[in-house]
Amino acid sequence: MQCVGFRLADQEYAFRIEQIQEIVIPDRVARIPQVPDYVEGVSNLRGAIIPIVNLRRLFDLAPKDKDEETRTIVANVAAKTIGCTVDSVTQVMRISPEQIQPAPDIVRSKEASYITGFAKIDTRIVVLLDIQELLDPA
């Protein structure tokens, strides 16, 4: 399978490429009151207003200022377009079934049902995420 790799803090993650619409440089975000902390606000993507979710905040990681490597991964989730802010996009990678291990029981929970497994690529461990589960509006 093909995946888009991205980095948050010192960890590498990946979404399946077919779950991704595009990757863009973050644009101005309009803040929205009374939304969860991980929702940065909304942004204008070629005339469409889309919500922007900060994955660092969603994963309860330490905040980091945006820099020249920060990207927004745009995906279609449950018939809605949503942007995800990440520290950087690393690469498009091919991952074979032999490289994937399922998530151990200790990390599988209702709250972490978005973790589909782990890929061993050289000496790296890439956390495979299901963007539909992660950003399901329900």
Side-chain angles (χ1 to χ4, degrees):
M1 74 177 163
Q2 278 193 306
C3 294
V4 173
F6 63 92
R7 194 168 279 291
L8 292 171
D10 292 327
Q11 180 58 53
E12 196 171 350
Y13 299 87
F15 290 136
R16 291 177 70 107
I17 202 163
E18 62 267 12
Q19 297 178 311
I20 306 302
Q21 177 179 313
E22 63 186 300
I23 299 166
V24 297
I25 295 173
D27 200 4
R28 190 168 36 217
V29 175
R31 303 263 184 241
I32 306 296
Q34 299 181 337
V35 295
D37 178 39
Y38 58 83
V39 177
E40 288 185 9
V42 295
S43 187
N44 181 352
L45 180 67
R46 288 183 299 287
I49 302 300
I50 64 168
I52 305 296
V53 172
N54 185 307
L55 290 188
R56 261 186 175 269
R57 288 188 203 148
L58 183 63
F59 290 169
D60 209 18
L61 298 171
K64 177 182 178 267
D65 290 334
K66 291 181 181 172
D67 59 26
E68 66 279 348
E69 295 203 4
T70 304
R71 294 293 179 267
T72 300
I73 299 174
V74 180
N76 294 311
V77 179
K80 299 193 182 320
T81 304
I82 298 175
C84 301
T85 303
V86 299
D87 293 353
S88 64
V89 171
T90 55
Q91 64 186 358
V92 173
M93 59 185 101
R94 287 191 185 277
I95 301 174
S96 69
E98 300 81 42
Q99 293 174 290
I100 299 173
Q101 293 199 350
D105 289 339
I106 197 159
V107 298
R108 260 190 278 178
S109 67
K110 185 177 180 195
E111 292 80 27
S113 62
Y114 54 84
I115 298 174
T116 61
F118 298 89
K120 294 186 299 181
I121 302 172
D122 302 320
T123 60
R124 304 180 341 249
I125 295 176
V126 178
V127 181
L128 303 175
L129 304 176
D130 182 335
I131 201 166
Q132 299 291 332
E133 283 286 324
L134 180 64
L135 300 178
D136 182 0

